[in-house]
Amino acid sequence: MIILKLYGEFTKKDWLKAFNIEEKDVPKSFIIHGAWEHEKNLTIWKDKIVKDIWTPHWNSIIGKLNNQKIGFANVFGGPSAAVICHQFASLGTDIFIQTGYFGGLSHDVQFGDILIVTAAEMADGVSHWYLPDQQTVQSDRELIETAINFCEDRGYSYVTGTVFTTGAIMVETSEMVQKWAKSGHIGVDMETATTLAVARKFNKKAIGLLNLSDHIIKRDTFYSPNKRRDEIKEKTDEKIRELALYLSRL
């Protein structure tokens, strides 16, 4: 008799077999980037990773940098982030670094700041399946402290604080934004709570490093034309990529 398992019952051995790989092919760290431009971001990271070793999914690559295997996936929203994090946490990846963007909920945060996420409120619709008794999930303390020291050493502008992770960006209203801001959140995003929760479930380290995309507390949206803002975002993206690669080698 053949006994079939469902995904939540897969062991490390099962995932190795599913991907047809060996343990040596599993990356130590994985960068999970939350954004819409999948092809653009995959191209950027293919140029950064010295050797493209294998492609686990259409939106992800595993490569080698400084003789260490590293993964990158471009995701949009909690469900796609969870697929990558769950599979590779099961396989043995130790560090998950969520990058991407956040809508500003604080008048103190500015374009060009790197948001080092200390915790995320779990309103994404996915993370509570991994941590059912929690409302918030913390970033790894060591990764937070290392990220702060990195920014201090290089003179990079940064803020620390929490985000509200939602699963439905297009239903946001001014009333919602004010509520989230009054709760003390620096920003709102769509993936950080998911990545942190999956990592916590598997006893792995994780952190969020986010770039201010739209200052919604000031009623600034993606669709408010601002060339200067876009230039700053591009420069901040590069700083975050540099920081993410640094953390991935810990």
Side-chain angles (χ1 to χ4, degrees), residues 104-105 121 123 164 166-185 187-188 216-217 219:
L105 300 176
E121 184 170 345
F164 181 94
T166 179
I169 188 173
M170 290 300 169
V171 302
E172 291 176 355
T173 64
S174 296
E175 183 179 358
M176 290 178 185
V177 167
Q178 292 297 329
K179 180 181 178 181
W180 301 336
K182 287 180 181 178
S183 296
H185 296 304
V188 55
I216 55 178
I217 194 71
R219 304 186 72 83

Side-chain angles (χ1 to χ4, degrees), residues 98-137:
Q98 179 67 55
T99 62
Y101 306 95
F102 72 99
L105 300 176
S106 168
H107 288 277
D108 295 330
V109 69
Q110 304 296 328
F111 288 105
D113 290 339
I114 297 172
L115 172 56
I116 300 172
V117 179
T118 56
E121 184 170 345
M122 300 157 52
D124 51 301
V126 179
S127 56
H128 73 279
W129 287 99
Y130 289 87
L131 302 176
D133 299 323
Q134 295 184 207
Q135 291 184 326
T136 61
V137 56

